[in-house]
Amino acid sequence: WLRGPDAALISYVFYIVAGAVAAWHADAVLAFTRRHALAILGGAAAAVAASLATYALQLTVGGMSPNDASAVFQPVLVLESAAVAWALLASGVLWTDRNMPRRRAVLALSDRSFGVYLVHPLLLTGVLSAATAAGVASAVEGMPAAAQLTLLLLLVVPVTYIAAAIVTGLFRSAPLSLALTGRERSVQTRVARRAVP
């Protein structure tokens, strides 16, 4: 567990318990979030800044590799993850409370979000396998860390999430939607099928 915490379910207990406690007290959590939404957003920004500063210090002063410095269970990353999750909740509450336009894309993406979470590791594995087979992975490994990060943030991450959203959208209308996306088949598909004679 200490050598590879990201592979052990026990590593995720904090998130599971925190989510369960928040769900159990959903009314109180939402009321608190409504009252303090701006502070929560500011706290998340501070947590991201602390995480970036810690990462830079671990690289420069601590002599850690980029991989070790960005490991998912670094204590500052646990704080950042919780803060960003809460900021997303606060953003959603603000969006809803202020009657912001419910654009079709936002609704479609929120419907697909869990499926994207489920599908993206499979897509990343496929991309990594293809990049390794084509020799692209070794070329990228030879690039400076800043170039790798830029490539990752500007190309790999957006393309992966867009592809995952498209794949999830296709699965949402399938009879096995629950198994493939974590949600029941989309209502629009069920209604359309009932309307067909």
Side-chain angles (χ1 to χ4, degrees):
W1 179 62
L2 292 174
R3 284 193 309 270
D6 55 331
L9 179 62
I10 191 79
S11 301
Y12 296 93
V13 168
F14 166 74
Y15 300 107
I16 294 165
V17 171
V21 170
W24 189 264
H25 301 285
D27 291 338
V29 169
L30 288 170
F32 182 89
T33 301
R34 278 188 173 87
R35 284 192 311 272
H36 304 288
L38 295 179
I40 291 166
L41 294 172
V48 169
S51 181
L52 291 171
T54 301
Y55 177 75
L57 285 172
Q58 287 173 333
L59 289 179
T60 56
V61 177
M64 294 177 79
S65 71
N67 193 41
D68 290 341
S70 64
V72 72
F73 289 107
Q74 288 273 350
V76 72
L77 288 182
V78 173
L79 172 68
E80 179 188 26
S81 297
V84 168
W86 203 356
L88 289 172
L89 176 63
S91 298
V93 166
L94 289 173
W95 178 282
T96 303
D97 289 350
R98 295 181 180 187
N99 292 322
M100 300 296 278
R102 296 182 181 202
R103 293 182 183 91
R104 203 173 218 186
V106 172
L107 292 174
L109 290 174
S110 67
D111 178 66
R112 297 174 188 190
S113 63
F114 189 60
V116 169
Y117 171 76
L118 294 174
V119 168
H120 85 274
L122 179 63
L123 293 175
L124 284 174
T125 301
V127 167
L128 185 59
S129 296
T132 301
V136 174
S138 59
V140 170
E141 287 173 1
M143 295 168 62
Q148 289 179 18
L149 182 62
T150 301
L151 180 65
L152 183 70
L153 292 176
L154 297 181
L155 181 65
V156 176
V157 170
V159 168
T160 299
Y161 282 123
I162 290 168
I166 291 168
V167 169
T168 300
L170 295 172
F171 289 161
R172 288 289 287 119
S173 61
L176 292 175
S177 178
L178 181 61
L180 297 171
T181 69
R183 289 184 172 235
E184 292 284 344
R185 196 173 186 183
S186 70
V187 175
Q188 294 86 0
T189 302
R190 288 195 306 255
V191 170
R193 295 214 185 251
R194 270 190 245 137
V196 174

